[in-house]
Amino acid sequence: MKNRNILVTGGAGFIGSHLVRLLVNKYPDYHIVNMDVLTYAGNLANLKDIEAKDNYTFVKCDICDFEQVKAVFATHNIDSVIHLAAESHVDRSIKDPFSFAQTNIMGTLSLLQAAKFAWDGDFKDKLFYHVSTDEVYGSLGDEGFFLETTAYDPHSPYSASKASSDHFVRAFHDTYGLPTVISNCSNNYGSYQFPEKLIPLFINNICNNKPLPVYGKGENVRDWLFVNDHASAIDVIFHKGKLGDTYNIGGFNEWKNIDLIKVLIETTDRLLGREKGASDQLITYVTDRAGHDMRYAIDATKLKDELGWEPSLQFEEGIEKTVQWYLDNKQWMEHITSGAYEDYYNEMYKN
Ligand code: NAD
Ligand code: TYD
């Protein structure tokens, strides 16, 4: 289908900016409307290379502002939504669960209602695509994987708010017939990620010889996917996904935190021309995160078998590219870590 008008929410954030770039460059016939309120995590510098393109429009708007969201649907004749806007950091959700409920639950509801209102029962060639996380499934033991059928069991205020938003999306499909699709992805890494998440935080700290705060014993396991591969999976699901369905996205790439941290240290030291092991002493074990999920692992077989998607990169190559990007983009990092970031860091890591 040509000439789609796609509303991407949260397009100035980490994953959203990669998705917007992919869509704007790959589909010149699509109009991409990026709706973002620009919280601390939203940064238009992430989109500098595509901001002047004819098929791209930025709208500063809070997804919770129902009247303004409705107006954006009308102005741009929106026929599809890819919804990524969210409060996304678990540690912040522990300190301030209200803002997570507000943005992730009420914001999603506001978008669903606006889509229902704008499309007014004519759902032909319409789609509401909700981007979610594997964290809604809870925590695994040593064995097993999250499947699309795994029961929801969120533990953090972040994952509880995302689980709730997923339920609202399904409820709108089942109750009003809204054409929806949901994907649940594992942890992403890559360029333009805000340095509150493990990988960019630790790369930045290694560069600046600052302690690396490892929660608990560093034995928690996460399943890591290169962000461009998440964007390519969203592209495939957006075009080929079955309405009302759910797809897990992941690359079968599990790492114990402490092992991943050692790879980060080795790679960053090497690319900085430092001696091997130079930054090992920065590892600092700190108090564990409250309610810390032990293990996430996605089974993405359905996405491969039904829609033919597979990740493009091996982890070693992805990490090398990622560390190199942060080293090459020091200004981006310095801009982000000036001002309010320092207050955040001192408050979060004071113990
Ligand atoms: P991010 O925190 O980097 O970006 C979130 C973006 O949403 C920012 O640009 C922010 O300004 C915007 N935003 C926040 N509140 C808003 C509001 N009320 N109105 C409009 N815009 C608002 O997040 P991310 O890591 O890019 O994650 C994007 C989505 O993907 C989220 O829904 C997240 O739950 C999901 N997800 C993330 C990961 C991951 O590893 N980062 C993994 C799986 C799923
Ligand atoms: P994070 O990047 O916050 O992603 P999530 O919690 O959504 O999986 O954290 C990844 C893992 O790294 C998680 O097990 C928590 C751990 N972690 C630390 O050990 N120290 C840190 O400073 C941070 C931010 C995370």
Side-chain angles (χ1 to χ4, degrees):
M1 190 184 132
K2 285 193 143 196
N3 302 325
R4 302 194 78 140
N5 294 318
I6 306 175
L7 179 67
V8 177
T9 69
F14 167 49
I15 301 168
S17 61
H18 284 279
L19 178 69
V20 165
R21 178 175 298 101
L22 181 157
L23 295 173
V24 164
N25 287 331
K26 186 170 172 185
Y27 302 105
D29 291 336
Y30 292 1
H31 180 206
I32 308 303
V33 179
N34 172 14
M35 177 186 286
D36 199 301
V37 77
L38 302 179
T39 66
Y40 75 92
N43 183 357
L44 289 178
N46 298 358
L47 290 164
K48 269 253 156 301
D49 53 323
I50 58 104
E51 69 184 4
K53 297 248 180 175
D54 288 343
N55 64 335
Y56 172 72
T57 303
F58 173 69
V59 181
K60 188 164 191 280
C61 173
D62 186 336
I63 56 167
C64 301
D65 183 341
F66 181 52
E67 291 307 320
Q68 202 191 338
V69 172
K70 271 201 305 191
V72 171
F73 268 81
T75 305
H76 297 286
N77 197 19
I78 296 299
D79 53 55
S80 324
V81 178
I82 309 181
H83 173 36
L84 297 97
E87 289 293 338
S88 68
H89 189 39
V90 173
D91 293 330
R92 288 188 193 252
S93 82
I94 295 168
K95 289 232 182 295
D96 175 22
F98 273 124
S99 62
F100 282 70
Q102 177 64 15
T103 296
N104 299 357
I105 305 175
M106 296 309 287
T108 301
L109 187 52
S110 157
L111 285 164
L112 287 164
Q113 279 283 61
K116 179 161 79 71
F117 177 84
W119 300 339
D120 195 21
D122 176 11
F123 295 143
K124 186 170 177 308
D125 295 332
K126 307 290 195 304
L127 181 64
F128 190 106
Y129 182 153
H130 179 58
V131 175
S132 193
T133 165
D134 61 354
E135 304 194 22
V136 299
Y137 297 124
S139 182
L140 292 163
D142 291 342
E143 302 284 314
F145 293 91
F146 296 135
L147 291 163
E148 287 80 357
T149 49
T150 301
Y152 277 27
D153 183 23
H155 298 134
S156 73
Y158 164 64
S159 54
S161 67
K162 290 296 291 187
S164 174
S165 65
D166 293 9
H167 291 318
F168 269 107
V169 174
R170 290 198 181 94
F172 268 62
H173 175 267
D174 295 348
T175 306
Y176 307 112
L178 198 78
T180 62
V181 68
I182 300 177
S183 58
N184 297 83
C185 189
S186 60
N187 285 60
N188 285 211
Y189 69 96
S191 53
Y192 298 113
Q193 187 170 30
F194 193 83
E196 61 187 354
K197 308 277 167 53
L198 180 75
I199 289 183
L201 179 82
F202 276 35
I203 295 171
N204 192 39
N205 283 12
I206 295 165
C207 289
N208 294 306
N209 287 308
K210 282 174 70 175
L212 305 174
V214 181
Y215 296 162
K217 294 183 179 153
E219 285 176 350
N220 304 67
V221 174
R222 295 292 181 265
D223 185 357
W224 294 94
L225 184 70
F226 194 53
V227 64
N228 301 68
D229 281 329
H230 187 187
S232 82
I234 293 173
D235 179 20
V236 169
I237 295 166
F238 177 80
H239 288 97
K240 302 204 290 189
K242 208 166 115 225
L243 294 184
D245 220 340
T246 297
Y247 298 89
N248 281 352
I249 309 174
F252 292 100
N253 179 43
E254 291 180 53
W255 285 81
K256 204 181 262 192
N257 287 344
I258 192 64
D259 295 334
L260 170 66
I261 289 160
K262 286 179 182 161
V263 172
L264 283 179
I265 293 175
E266 189 281 320
T267 310
T268 310
D269 276 349
R270 177 166 45 76
L271 293 178
L272 282 172
R274 289 181 185 164
E275 253 174 54
K276 197 167 166 24
S279 301
D280 288 355
Q281 91 290 351
L282 296 176
I283 291 178
T284 309
Y285 291 93
V286 300
T287 310
D288 206 355
R289 172 187 279 172
H292 198 173
D293 287 334
M294 185 43 88
R295 174 171 167 257
Y296 301 146
I298 278 278
D299 184 336
T301 308
K302 174 177 170 181
L303 184 55
K304 182 176 179 217
D305 288 354
E306 291 188 14
L307 305 187
W309 175 88
E310 279 185 276
S312 69
L313 269 194
Q314 292 297 314
F315 187 64
E316 288 66 21
E317 196 185 340
I319 276 294
E320 186 93 4
K321 276 182 179 227
T322 300
V323 174
Q324 190 64 59
W325 187 87
Y326 287 101
L327 300 186
D328 291 344
N329 289 274
K330 286 224 168 71
Q331 257 186 321
W332 180 91
M333 185 62 93
E334 277 161 18
H335 182 71
I336 294 239
T337 51
S338 62
Y341 179 81
E342 213 169 320
D343 298 337
Y344 161 80
Y345 197 92
N346 292 337
E347 171 62 23
M348 202 59 84
Y349 294 102
K350 64 185 171 202
N351 298 319

